[in-house]
Every structure is written in C-alpha cells, then in structure tokens.
Amino acid sequence: DTGVSQNPRHKITKRGQNVTFRCDPISEHNRLYWYRQTLGQGPEFLTYFQNEAQLEKSRLLSDRFSAERPKGSFSTLEIQRTEQGDSAMYLCASRAGVNVNTGELFFGEGSRLTVL
Amino acid sequence: GQQLNQSPQSMFIQEGEDVSMNCTSSSIFNTWLWYKQDPGEGPVLLIALYKAGELTSNGRLTAQFGITRKDSFLNISASIPSDVGIYFCAGPTTSGTYKYIFGTGTRLKVLA
C-alpha cells in the first residue's frame, strides 16, 4: 500500500498525558499537512510542511501542539498535557506538485484521540 | 477568511435516485476537490477540478467547476447504499496561505 499511513489509529489517554502521532506520506510527496476533525465538522487545518520546513501553523494551534518533519519524510504531531477538548480525529495529508497552491490532497486513515 | 458552504447539510434519498449537492464561497478558488468520508476513516478524494467550467466524471460521479470560480457541484447518478457518507468540498486558499479549507459537508443517507 503506497498511500498515506498514520498510527496509531486509536489512542485513549488520560488528561494531562502526552501523546504522539506519526504520519508517513506518499513517498514522492514533499508537502504534508495535519488537520483536526471533530464530530460533524469538516477537517480543520493545523499545520503545513514543505519538505522539512514547517511553513505555516494555524493561529488556533495551542502551544501544547508541536509538529516535526525531520529529513522531509515522515512527520510527528505531539500534544502535551492533553485536555478533554483535544479529543478529535487527527488527519494527515500529503501532496506533490511544484505549484504552491494547486494539486490533489491525499489523506491517511486518521488517528482518533480520546482524552478521558 | 475564505469559507466554503455546502448544501444541503443532509439528505435522505431512495436507492437508484440521482443526487445533487453544491459548494459555494464568497471568494474565488482555483482548484476544487471533492471528498467522501466514511465513519472513522479519512476523506477519500473523488474528483479534482482545475479550470472554470470544467466538467469531470468518475464513474457515477460528475463534478463541475463553476464559471464564476466561486462554486462547484457534485452529482451522483443512480445512487446505491455504499454512497452513504459525508461529502466534502475543499480547495486551496488564495489568500496567501498554504492551507486547503474544507466545506461543512453534506451527509448522504440512501434508503434501500
């Protein structure tokens, strides 16, 4: 399978714990996105990487959230000191393309976080 | 900022019926993407549109890029039970950012 891969698929944690999600994009894609989706809503943008550079972060992204993409391949999204409001589906997407804002975005299956 | 509004929010249809839904914005988009999402899964890309007026098909699905570049339409012909899900439109913003924004979704339920 050469699609976008995310793990873990499900994570249940207690409030205050740290969690980390991993995303492996489609191998030839240099652009990677993280989104968050809550029930009944469309995906909400969190952050964007072009190769290893994090070029954009949502203003809504708390300081407790950090993302990395070392070497421009896989990416991790870490949430520190989780809160119940962090419960959501975290989606990773990747795309190829030379142009800045064109191209098809391909999503992984998502990582569902439940904070108790 | 740019927003995408989808209608209808939800619809119940009989198997075999055709379905139409749309996505509108107050600002221009250069690309329209249509996705389907099943419960607990990530969105799956159905159709991509890149040119105003473009009409593109993928099996029973047909999507159009509106002439004004502020809207797009998705039609599903002869619906089947597996068409159930939430359909999202999306597009890259043209306001100097890198992000793609998503519509509010149309929830489709097919009655056998």
Side-chain angles (χ1 to χ4, degrees):
Chain A
D1 186 11
T2 57
V4 179
S5 176
Q6 292 188 246
N7 65 81
R9 292 290 313 279
H10 304 277
K11 179 71 176 179
I12 299 175
T13 190
K14 293 183 178 179
R15 188 178 55 186
Q17 298 295 305
N18 299 343
V19 296
T20 299
F21 301 113
R22 175 178 170 126
C23 172
D24 288 90
I26 295 171
S27 59
E28 61 269 26
H29 287 184
N30 63 338
R31 302 169 192 268
L32 186 146
Y33 300 74
W34 283 98
Y35 281 80
R36 175 171 61 193
Q37 186 178 30
T38 53
L39 202 60
Q41 304 295 317
E44 176 187 38
F45 171 78
L46 292 179
T47 191
Y48 165 73
F49 288 85
Q50 185 171 318
N51 300 310
E52 67 276 7
Q54 186 176 22
L55 298 186
E56 188 171 354
K57 290 171 58 175
S58 168
R59 288 173 294 171
L60 303 174
L61 203 60
S62 159
D63 290 344
R64 296 183 296 105
F65 287 69
S66 62
E68 295 182 339
R69 193 183 182 197
K71 303 179 183 177
S73 56
F74 72 91
S75 176
T76 58
L77 176 68
E78 181 183 18
I79 308 174
Q80 296 182 325
R81 304 180 304 282
T82 53
E83 302 173 356
Q84 288 184 325
D86 297 332
S87 295
M89 174 79 91
Y90 290 86
L91 294 163
C92 176
S94 71
R95 70 175 179 92
V98 175
N99 295 323
V100 172
N101 271 358
T102 61
E104 299 161 15
L105 208 56
F106 294 92
F107 282 87
E109 295 176 320
S111 294
R112 177 163 296 283
L113 173 65
T114 301
V115 181
L116 302 177
Chain B
Q2 290 177 295
Q3 290 184 318
L4 294 176
N5 298 303
Q6 289 186 246
S7 65
Q9 283 189 324
S10 63
M11 53 195 314
F12 288 80
I13 61 168
Q14 290 289 131
E15 184 177 358
E17 288 184 348
D18 296 343
V19 175
S20 291
M21 61 188 77
N22 65 35
C23 182
T24 60
S25 174
S26 58
S27 52
I28 289 172
F29 278 75
N30 294 319
T31 298
W32 290 97
L33 305 175
W34 283 93
Y35 291 87
K36 178 177 183 280
Q37 187 174 27
D38 293 328
E41 303 293 328
V44 174
L45 182 65
L46 299 173
I47 292 179
L49 301 161
Y50 294 104
K51 190 175 178 181
E54 179 183 358
L55 190 69
T56 298
S57 294
N58 177 8
R60 293 178 298 104
L61 277 61
T62 301
Q64 184 164 22
F65 194 136
I67 291 292
T68 65
R69 295 165 62 195
K70 293 183 178 181
D71 55 13
S72 179
F73 307 88
L74 177 69
N75 296 314
I76 306 172
S77 62
S79 58
I80 59 178
S82 62
D83 291 333
V84 166
I86 304 178
Y87 292 80
F88 290 103
C89 61
T93 60
T94 56
S95 57
T97 76
Y98 297 96
K99 64 183 176 183
Y100 284 54
I101 61 172
F102 282 75
T104 48
T106 292
R107 183 181 299 273
L108 179 64
K109 297 190 179 182
V110 180
L111 305 174

